[in-house]
Amino acid sequence: IDGDTIDDGDTVGQTSTTELTSTVFTATLTGDQSIPPVETLATATLVLQYDADEETLSYFVDVTSMITNPSSAIIYEGAPGESGAAIVTLFGGPTEEGEWTGVLAEGFVEEEDLTGSLIGGTIPDLVTLLASGDTYVSIGNKSHPVDAIRGQID
């Protein structure tokens, strides 16, 4: 195999949208998945829904067990147990003050929202990365600005 291909024969960096199908990705966020682990009862869920026909990706971040002062919700590129680079900000503030539960963020990811290795990329590029299993979502707060709670995206 040369440096530009992977085992399934696809060329790295090129996404064929005809191969992608509509799908749903989810994550359950907890403190024990954070790097380093955070002792907290806070939990949240992320739901991402990809529509292959429209090439749109919607998201819904729901804090299901109270977190104090949530300030960010960001998708990162990274395997379980590893820290990675931000690729999409779902919620960038302002900080929700006090003890908080409920929908923190919802909407659609736009191509101009993509950062890190996906700058200049497409929504299908992001979906391909999500499908790889090497992405996670993290909610930050005043005490833990990056990783108060975290969950791998499946």
Side-chain angles (χ1 to χ4, degrees):
I1 297 175
D2 66 34
D4 293 329
T5 59
I6 53 180
D7 289 339
D8 63 4
D10 289 338
T11 303
V12 173
Q14 294 180 353
T15 302
S16 172
T17 57
T18 58
E19 294 177 13
L20 296 176
T21 59
S22 295
T23 192
V24 175
F25 300 96
T26 61
T28 300
L29 291 75
T30 59
D32 63 344
Q33 296 181 72
S34 296
I35 307 296
V38 174
E39 192 171 321
T40 180
L41 297 176
T43 59
T45 58
L46 167 70
V47 176
L48 296 159
Q49 186 166 349
Y50 178 63
D51 180 325
D53 293 332
E54 299 295 322
E55 293 188 357
T56 59
L57 183 67
S58 63
Y59 63 89
F60 182 85
V61 180
D62 185 22
V63 176
T64 53
S65 182
M66 187 271 305
I67 189 169
T68 304
N69 303 317
S71 56
S72 65
I74 300 172
I75 296 175
Y76 294 85
E77 184 173 4
E82 296 179 2
S83 294
I87 54 174
V88 178
T89 298
L90 304 176
F91 175 74
T95 297
E96 297 288 352
E97 297 294 334
E99 296 179 351
W100 204 84
T101 59
V103 177
L104 183 62
E106 64 183 316
F108 287 87
V109 176
E110 304 293 337
E111 289 179 353
E112 57 267 15
D113 299 333
L114 301 177
T115 62
S117 67
L118 292 177
I119 288 177
T122 65
I123 298 303
D125 291 336
L126 172 58
V127 170
T128 299
L129 184 57
L130 292 169
S132 77
D134 286 334
T135 55
Y136 64 93
V137 61
S138 177
I139 294 178
N141 66 7
K142 287 183 179 178
S143 300
H144 303 278
V146 176
D147 249 6
I149 55 176
R150 168 182 165 153
Q152 206 67 24
I153 299 172
D154 297 316

